[in-house]
Amino acid sequence: MSTFHLSRRSVLAGTAAVAAVVTLPSVQGQAAAATPATGGYRWRNAVQGGTGFITGVLFHPSVKGLAYLRTDIGGAYRWEERSGRWIPLTDHIGWDDWNLLGVEAMAVDPAHPDRVYLSLGTYAQSWAGNGAVLRSEDRGATWQRTDLTVKLGANEDGRGCGERLLVDPRDSDTLWLGTRHDGLLKSTDRGATWKSANFPATPSATGQGITLLVAAGRSVYAGWGDSDGTAGKPNLYRTSDGTTWEAVPRQPTGTAAKVPVRAAYDRHTRELYVTYADAPGPNGQSDGSVHKLRTTTGKWSEVTPVKPGGATGEGGTDSFGYGGVAVDARRPGTVVVSTNNRWALVDTVYRTTDGGRSWTSLKDKAVLDVSETPYLTFGADKPKFGWWIQAVGLDPYDSRHIVYGTGATLYGTRDLTHWAPQIRGVEEASVRQLISPPTGTAHLLSGSGDVGVMYHERLTASPSRGMASNPVFGTATGLSLAPAKPSYVVRAGWGDHGNGAFSNDGGRTWAPFDAQPDVAKSAPGPIATNADGSVLLWSFGTANPGYRSADNGAGWSEVATFPKGAVPVADPVDPTRLYAFDTTTGTLFASTDSGRTFTARATGLNSGDTEFQLVAAPGRSGDLWLSLKWNGLYRSTDGGAAFTKVASCWASYTLGFGKAAEGAAYPALYMVGATDSITAVYRSDDEAKSWTRINDDRHQWGWIGAAITGDPRVHGRVYIATNGRGVQYGEPAR
């Protein structure tokens, strides 16, 4: 998943690698039956089922039924065999540390089953905070943290490589950490402090650096991603004494072996299997290979199942790289590898039982059952076997239990034929829009990056209708419901067969607009319907005007006075009124003629940032609330003619409404913001005169500034859009 949002608040200051130890709170109990938060709330995920890129999966070599999983933007998980689900381990990461929700690498200690390590850092860009290492002595129930002076890139190219973190096979106190731009780091105190190691390759400011670390017997091998794959420029190094590193002799060269992606060691045959590609992936790969090294003799053999480029399919030339690799701990010479970025003939997992002399494509006889997460068809008749397959795991206690990650899920099999998502508990959507309808079957509609819009008829199961289709969107950019006609909903997004659609049954089924502005395909933006659904207003970025339709999308006309790039907001009562906030001038614009023209009202409200949120209180005309991030929360009761700053909070990032408390005349307000120094989730039952924090330090989910809404039918229930942990919903613990 490539979706992200930025915060201008501080993330991690430039701290020393030898940092103070930070003890983090327990994160146990975040399974299906969530335990009460200390703020009196129970928190759960509204189930979608995966929806993001699984970048790594790791079976523990010495504990049956124990495994870990990492994602590019949504944290890490531990498999709980008894319940058959993944337990989130990093939900405690807070607002200011949003960059740490991306997991670059993970490691376990074969000699100490309860120890687990994570290296965190989503982006290595200058605007992102430095990385950190988490270490746990109780399988991730509690953590200690060391801040680094280097940046990591869990959501950048190469995020499916690895693992870049390793416990030394000679000494459990020694850890190795490969970085992208700062070489190799070493810790001799189980990750508490880190120093640069003496590694022979020179880091690049823009390269991949170390792509993998793997133990082979008592030696450690490291992949290097900044070589061009030619002879004399090695990309695989090793150390046998933990001090001196050398290039591995006679290693493969050429474009197909340019970047070592992953490696796995067969302790029975003493052979190291390495997958290669011409780019780190997950995108951009067109060539690749698989090689094995007999570590006792130094002999290399190419064991590539199928060489790229030799066939064509619906997508054109069959180009791809190789990604994941895993060896069977019980059967010598049994190995699985995956292709990656293979769009013409679709990615697959190959299996060999004779050390790579012959291979079988497990895709060819695969039976996929996605009934638990129907969205995986992506609007087609049946799902594909997978794409972006760089994470592959083989259960050391069950030779027929294989799992592989894709750009949206984790598939598993226990008989090498029947595959189904093994994803319960993992929710990685980057959620952009939320609607909780006042009537109908569904209490929630969500719009996300990569997986479009979903109709949640149940919060505890993946939507039975999957993604909204007709048309299918990749990323949703707009979602709006007509308050006076809640059965009418419109949506917008990125799609190949239309960029806007409407529903007359509350979002269960959809139909594309009969027409759309030409700019919609290249710049689909937020969309709004007015109170009774008779008018649509669609925004297309700062370079384009807004467009209006009064015939359900059959025809569109330009609205020259609509502020370019603004988010349209409808008055919930009066169908002639619509609003928009212009961030460039800090001006509230309003229309009183059903969106034909807009005029300026309140001015001087500029937040100093392009991010803001304007919302209208349900059941009231002209009652507007404007969240201006760290510049605070403002309210207008006269349709935007004047705004007054709300004194009860100093920062407001997103605001929503829900059912009023018993005896209250005004809807409950829910906010991600700050009443003191902590950015958190708050509820107010007294029209924002006072606030109560309703999340706690175990339930923070990084950056949660996209959307929040209460449920208009259930007082106290709130839905939160996260950037990588799906939709979180909370209810008072009664």
Side-chain angles (χ1 to χ4, degrees), residues 595-659:
R596 294 179 179 86
T597 61
F598 282 79
T599 57
R601 291 196 171 181
T603 61
L605 295 166
N606 197 355
S607 67
D609 197 284
T610 57
E611 294 183 22
F612 73 98
Q613 188 186 74
L614 178 70
V615 292
R620 289 152 176 81
S621 182
D623 190 352
L624 306 177
W625 297 73
L626 180 62
S627 295
L628 293 180
K629 301 178 72 172
W630 53 84
N631 286 313
L633 177 64
Y634 292 77
R635 183 186 182 186
S636 171
T637 56
D638 55 11
F643 280 83
T644 301
K645 190 170 186 178
V646 177
S648 58
C649 62
W650 70 267
S652 180
Y653 300 95
T654 181
L655 189 79
F657 301 90
K659 183 178 180 180

Side-chain angles (χ1 to χ4, degrees), residues 157 342 407 422 498 584 641 716:
D157 286 347
R342 189 186 198 187
Q422 191 174 325
T584 60

Side-chain angles (χ1 to χ4, degrees), residues 497-522:
H497 304 286
N499 302 93
F502 68 94
S503 172
N504 281 318
D505 55 13
R508 285 179 56 85
T509 60
W510 297 86
F513 297 143
D514 288 343
Q516 65 181 36
D518 292 339
V519 71
K521 189 171 183 62
S522 59

Side-chain angles (χ1 to χ4, degrees), residues 357-718:
R357 289 188 293 273
S358 61
W359 296 87
T360 299
S361 171
L362 299 182
K363 177 186 68 175
D364 295 346
K365 295 183 178 180
V367 178
L368 294 177
D369 177 5
V370 299
S371 57
E372 188 168 313
T373 50
Y375 77 89
L376 285 170
T377 62
F378 286 90
D381 294 334
K382 59 182 181 179
K384 291 184 177 181
F385 189 76
W387 71 101
W388 283 13
I389 305 178
Q390 292 188 292
V392 173
L394 205 165
D395 191 336
Y397 292 87
D398 183 352
S399 297
R400 299 169 73 82
H401 182 199
I402 299 171
V403 297
Y404 66 90
T406 77
T409 194
L410 182 81
Y411 281 111
T413 183
R414 294 185 184 269
D415 63 5
L416 305 183
T417 299
H418 296 87
W419 300 81
Q422 191 174 325
I423 203 70
R424 290 181 186 176
V426 177
E427 299 291 344
E428 202 196 345
S430 175
V431 185
R432 311 293 187 79
Q433 300 94 21
L434 295 172
I435 291 177
S436 185
T439 61
T441 302
H443 279 250
L444 179 68
L445 304 178
S446 66
S448 299
D450 298 342
V451 293
V453 169
M454 290 190 178
Y455 176 89
H456 302 259
E457 68 268 67
R458 294 171 58 197
L459 298 176
T460 56
S462 186
S464 63
R465 307 184 69 86
M467 298 165 56
S469 58
N470 194 26
V472 169
F473 293 159
T475 292
T477 60
L479 184 63
S480 179
L481 174 147
K485 187 183 177 183
S487 61
Y488 184 74
V489 191
V490 293
R491 61 185 173 96
W494 293 92
D496 295 329
H497 304 286
N499 302 93
F502 68 94
S503 172
N504 281 318
D505 55 13
R508 285 179 56 85
T509 60
W510 297 86
F513 297 143
D514 288 343
Q516 65 181 36
D518 292 339
V519 71
K521 189 171 183 62
S522 59
I527 192 170
T529 173
N530 68 342
D532 63 5
S534 61
V535 170
L536 304 178
L537 194 61
W538 202 350
S539 181
F540 299 102
T542 56
N544 305 291
Y547 282 79
R548 175 184 183 272
S549 175
D551 53 11
N552 199 35
W556 298 87
S557 58
E558 181 180 317
V559 182
T561 52
F562 181 83
K564 293 181 178 180
V567 177
V569 174
D571 190 281
V573 175
D574 187 344
T576 67
R577 292 190 178 193
L578 294 102
Y579 311 98
F581 181 66
D582 183 2
T583 59
T584 60
T585 62
T587 302
L588 190 287
F589 284 79
S591 171
T592 57
D593 58 4
S594 301
R596 294 179 179 86
T597 61
F598 282 79
T599 57
R601 291 196 171 181
T603 61
L605 295 166
N606 197 355
S607 67
D609 197 284
T610 57
E611 294 183 22
F612 73 98
Q613 188 186 74
L614 178 70
V615 292
R620 289 152 176 81
S621 182
D623 190 352
L624 306 177
W625 297 73
L626 180 62
S627 295
L628 293 180
K629 301 178 72 172
W630 53 84
N631 286 313
L633 177 64
Y634 292 77
R635 183 186 182 186
S636 171
T637 56
D638 55 11
F643 280 83
T644 301
K645 190 170 186 178
V646 177
S648 58
C649 62
W650 70 267
S652 180
Y653 300 95
T654 181
L655 189 79
F657 301 90
K659 183 178 180 180
E662 186 176 355
Y666 199 82
L669 283 85
Y670 298 91
M671 178 182 71
V672 175
T675 61
D676 47 34
S677 61
I678 300 174
T679 300
V681 184
Y682 296 89
R683 188 186 82 212
S684 175
D685 289 326
D686 58 9
E687 214 164 332
K689 294 181 180 66
S690 64
W691 299 89
T692 299
R693 184 184 178 189
I694 58 175
N695 72 326
D696 58 48
D697 290 347
R698 294 186 301 130
H699 304 85
Q700 299 195 79
W701 318 290
W703 190 87
I704 50 175
I708 188 171
T709 186
D711 193 308
R713 291 177 268 180
V714 182
H715 174 254
R717 182 187 289 175
V718 60

